[in-house]
Amino acid sequence: MLMMLIYGYIFAIKVANVESFELIEFKGKLYEFPQFAYTSTSLRNLVLSGCKLSPSGSVNWSYLLSLSIRNQKLKEGVVGKVLSGCPNLECLELYHVWGIHHLEICSVKLTKLIIEEYMDGKLEILAPYVHHLQILGSCKGIRLHQINVASLITAVLDYSNFDENLEEELSYLKEFLHGVAHVENLELGPWCIEDLLSRYTDEDEQVKRFETHNFNCSFPHLKTIKFINFLGPLIENKFVMPLVKYLLKSATALEKFVIAAGFIGSDLSWDFVEMEQEFLSFPISSPHASVVFSHR
């Protein structure tokens, strides 16, 4: 099977000069990515799933624009070595990877970073030129430590941590919010909101803990806040209120606060009107902010 994959890669890259190629594991079996395959001047989009990346020499994917690395353990330094051979790369996706705790991206052209299903604890991100950052899926024990994303415009946080310590969860959320305080667009998914603020204690304790936790962070450039796939009626989502209050108070340039409901029925329509009125009763620092409810 490995030889078939190698021959397929040779034909696609060396003969057909394809621009997009996806290489995936066969029946869950990992394989070593061949050394000759680290050179191609035709590739624009590449997906590597379940193969062991270990370049012995330099990497030359000079025209690659999008790279997705999936389902594999990475060695420290391998990602940096691969990126050094992709001078025109614009988008990097790391899906279900482990083995690395430091990710440094120095390229000015690489502006989009997607991390999904990260499974290996603390991750330091140094990506000063990235404009768009997404952290998605079940990220067991992820710790966003020392985030350097100075050029970030949009941050999407839609992951579940599954940590058992609420105080530590709030501390990690605080660190993340400090790291992206300069963004214009912030999207928070239901896992982030619900898991952080409702999993461990009763509603009164949830509100008390969040309100007494000193986040002390302002968002002077934030223009759009979006809650993704927001579910359930107001009575079941009281834990969200202190977070909404905090964001409306801290985002001094806010233009739009969007609540995107995952579903809505006739029995919930009035409840969402009530929720909108509740949100609008909170102090809003920005004179141009509006609260908008949307649903699918």
Side-chain angles (χ1 to χ4, degrees):
M1 184 63 191
L2 176 58
M3 292 304 299
M4 291 177 62
L5 290 172
I6 292 176
Y7 287 139
Y9 188 91
I10 292 175
F11 176 81
I13 305 304
K14 303 296 184 180
V15 180
N17 290 321
V18 299
E19 294 187 357
S20 298
F21 192 81
E22 183 172 348
L23 198 60
I24 61 176
E25 71 272 22
F26 178 71
K27 294 184 178 180
K29 295 182 179 180
L30 303 181
Y31 52 85
E32 190 80 29
F33 194 64
Q35 294 300 319
F36 73 86
Y38 289 106
T39 297
S40 171
T41 57
S42 65
L43 280 174
R44 301 293 184 273
N45 307 289
L46 179 61
V47 177
L48 300 175
S49 178
C51 57
K52 301 175 184 178
L53 293 177
S54 184
S56 59
S58 60
V59 177
N60 183 16
W61 290 329
S62 53
Y63 292 99
L64 196 65
L65 300 177
S66 174
L67 174 62
S68 178
I69 302 175
R70 305 178 180 180
N71 302 320
Q72 61 180 284
K73 181 178 181 179
L74 296 172
K75 295 180 180 179
E76 293 285 0
V78 167
V79 175
K81 191 171 186 178
V82 169
L83 293 180
S84 67
C86 306
N88 291 297
L89 196 66
E90 298 175 355
C91 177
L92 173 65
E93 178 193 23
L94 300 177
Y95 176 86
H96 194 255
V97 302
W98 61 99
I100 60 171
H101 301 285
H102 178 85
L103 178 61
E104 184 171 3
I105 299 174
C106 301
S107 173
V108 177
K109 293 185 177 181
L110 205 166
T111 58
K112 187 172 184 178
L113 174 61
I114 302 172
I115 299 173
E116 187 170 358
E117 306 287 345
Y118 176 79
M119 305 300 290
D120 205 6
K122 184 176 70 175
L123 178 63
E124 181 183 35
I125 300 176
L126 301 175
Y129 304 110
V130 165
H131 294 171
H132 185 107
L133 171 65
Q134 295 185 46
I135 301 177
L136 312 170
S138 300
C139 299
K140 185 178 180 180
I142 191 171
R143 306 290 184 262
L144 300 174
H145 179 63
Q146 293 186 14
I147 305 172
N148 181 353
V149 282
S151 301
L152 200 64
I153 297 174
T154 297
V156 179
L157 186 63
D158 190 11
Y159 77 95
S160 179
N161 203 331
F162 297 112
D163 199 295
E164 297 182 356
N165 189 311
L166 178 60
E167 294 303 321
E168 287 188 7
E169 287 276 12
L170 288 172
S171 176
Y172 300 139
L173 176 59
K174 174 183 177 180
E175 187 171 1
F176 177 83
L177 292 176
H178 273 285
V180 300
H182 57 286
V183 302
E184 294 184 7
N185 307 296
L186 176 64
E187 297 186 14
L188 298 177
W191 278 349
C192 171
I193 298 169
E194 184 172 355
D195 289 345
L196 287 177
L197 302 179
S198 73
R199 271 194 301 135
Y200 309 103
T201 57
D202 59 59
E203 290 179 358
D204 292 337
E205 185 67 16
Q206 293 156 11
V207 173
K208 179 181 178 182
R209 288 199 179 189
F210 187 84
E211 288 181 338
T212 56
H213 202 284
N214 181 23
F215 278 76
N216 190 27
C217 179
S218 62
F219 300 90
H221 305 291
L222 189 60
K223 296 181 179 179
T224 303
I225 300 173
K226 186 174 183 179
F227 281 6
I228 312 165
N229 293 327
F230 192 85
L231 303 177
L234 177 61
I235 192 171
E236 297 177 3
N237 289 286
K238 290 182 179 180
F239 63 87
V240 177
M241 297 308 175
L243 177 59
V244 173
K245 284 183 179 180
Y246 165 69
L247 292 173
L248 289 176
K249 180 181 178 181
S250 304
T252 56
L254 188 66
E255 296 177 357
K256 185 179 292 187
F257 196 128
V258 180
I259 309 295
F263 69 91
I264 189 168
S266 58
D267 57 329
L268 293 179
S269 57
W270 171 250
D271 200 272
F272 271 75
V273 172
E274 182 182 357
M275 188 181 298
E276 184 174 12
Q277 293 174 345
E278 180 79 10
F279 286 3
L280 289 173
S281 70
F282 297 153
I284 302 177
S285 297
S286 172
H288 308 293
S290 63
V291 178
V292 178
F293 280 78
S294 66
H295 54 84
R296 302 171 183 176

